[in-house]
Amino acid sequence: MLSPEEWGIVALSLKVGGVAVLATLPIAFGLAWVLARYRFPGRVLLDGLVHLPLVVPPVVTGWLLLIAFGPLGPVGGWLDRWFGVTLMFRWTGAALAAAIMALPLMVRAMRLSIEGIDRRLEGAARTLGATPWHSFWSVSLPLALPGVLAALVLGFARSIGEFGATITFVSNIPGETRTLPLAIYSALQVPGGEAMVTRLALLSVALSLAALVLSEWLVRRTHRESRRHGD
């Protein structure tokens, strides 16, 4: 059984992960749509920038967030001056770090789903009088929906497992930024923390495994739907 402190850590992790993927969803879908449907100068560069968090050390991502969203950063200073909003040492900053790290996985899953849509179906909707916007909502989006859901699951799993960028950007503050991986790291540093590490590690593995299984099921369903509509 988890202690009240550990339940608080789990609740914070779920909140950070949920906010991260919901805030990232429209941005990730827009990027996936552009990369899947359009050819333009700089497309390769945009693709590289989107996937950059996958290959650079997470600490570097956290450092860049610190420069941009810190009190003296261009974005952080602007948010503080005009809206009184600060992300440093706050759970919202942890959600931002998690969102940045989850973005590449979400874009990739959605892009594969969008590329699998049979564009002849969209053309057929157009010939029946549908506007491009109506065709998107009635044909394209429903066909891409399993990929979108898979992206949400993958992004959520990545968000609750984020460590390096989070601890660099918003530190490790109990009750505010200490999510599951940070709590495991902290428990490893104190004598007698092995039991807590074990409980939280097993919970993390269970959540991640469930997310991967659900994501794989959604991807397979997307492939089946694509083949069925293709036939």
Side-chain angles (χ1 to χ4, degrees):
M1 294 293 294
L2 300 180
S3 66
E5 177 190 0
E6 292 165 351
W7 278 117
I9 292 168
V10 173
L12 177 62
S13 300
L14 296 176
K15 180 170 73 170
V16 166
V19 170
V21 296
L22 291 178
T24 308
L25 176 60
I27 299 172
F29 187 85
L31 288 169
W33 187 270
V34 168
L35 291 171
R37 289 296 179 93
Y38 297 101
R39 300 293 182 269
F40 53 89
R43 178 174 173 273
V44 174
L45 178 61
L46 176 61
D47 194 19
L49 289 174
V50 167
H51 291 88
L52 196 60
L54 288 179
V55 294
V56 301
V59 173
V60 174
T61 302
W63 175 69
L64 293 174
L65 288 174
L66 194 60
I67 292 175
F69 290 90
L72 302 179
V75 182
W78 178 77
L79 288 173
D80 189 22
R81 286 193 304 272
W82 289 94
F83 302 101
V85 173
T86 178
L87 299 177
M88 288 290 296
F89 312 120
R90 299 290 307 277
W91 73 268
T92 48
L96 174 62
I100 295 296
M101 299 303 296
L103 179 66
L105 294 176
M106 295 179 67
V107 170
R108 188 171 184 82
M110 292 183 194
R111 180 179 175 181
L112 291 173
S113 181
I114 294 168
E115 289 175 343
I117 296 173
D118 188 348
R119 302 187 70 170
R120 292 175 299 179
L121 298 174
E122 297 172 331
R126 300 281 185 86
T127 60
L128 294 174
T131 64
W133 192 244
H134 186 264
S135 174
F136 169 78
W137 283 104
S138 61
V139 178
S140 305
L141 186 58
L143 292 177
L145 188 58
V148 173
L149 295 176
L152 284 173
V153 174
L154 280 176
F156 180 75
R158 182 66 184 86
S159 296
I160 63 174
E162 165 50 31
F163 176 81
T166 301
I167 199 171
T168 304
F169 180 43
V170 295
S171 190
N172 184 7
I173 304 173
E176 187 65 42
T177 66
R178 182 171 291 177
T179 54
L180 276 169
L182 274 67
I184 292 171
Y185 172 79
S186 299
L188 285 170
Q189 311 304 310
V190 298
E194 292 82 4
M196 182 177 181
V197 169
T198 301
R199 289 192 296 271
L200 294 180
L202 289 175
L203 180 60
S204 298
V205 170
L207 288 173
S208 300
L209 184 59
L212 288 173
V213 170
L214 179 57
S215 175
E216 181 64 21
W217 178 79
L218 290 169
V219 169
R220 290 178 181 273
R221 180 181 174 184
T222 301
H223 289 162
R224 288 197 301 267
E225 289 292 326
S226 298
R227 289 196 298 268
R228 184 167 66 85
H229 286 292
D231 295 339

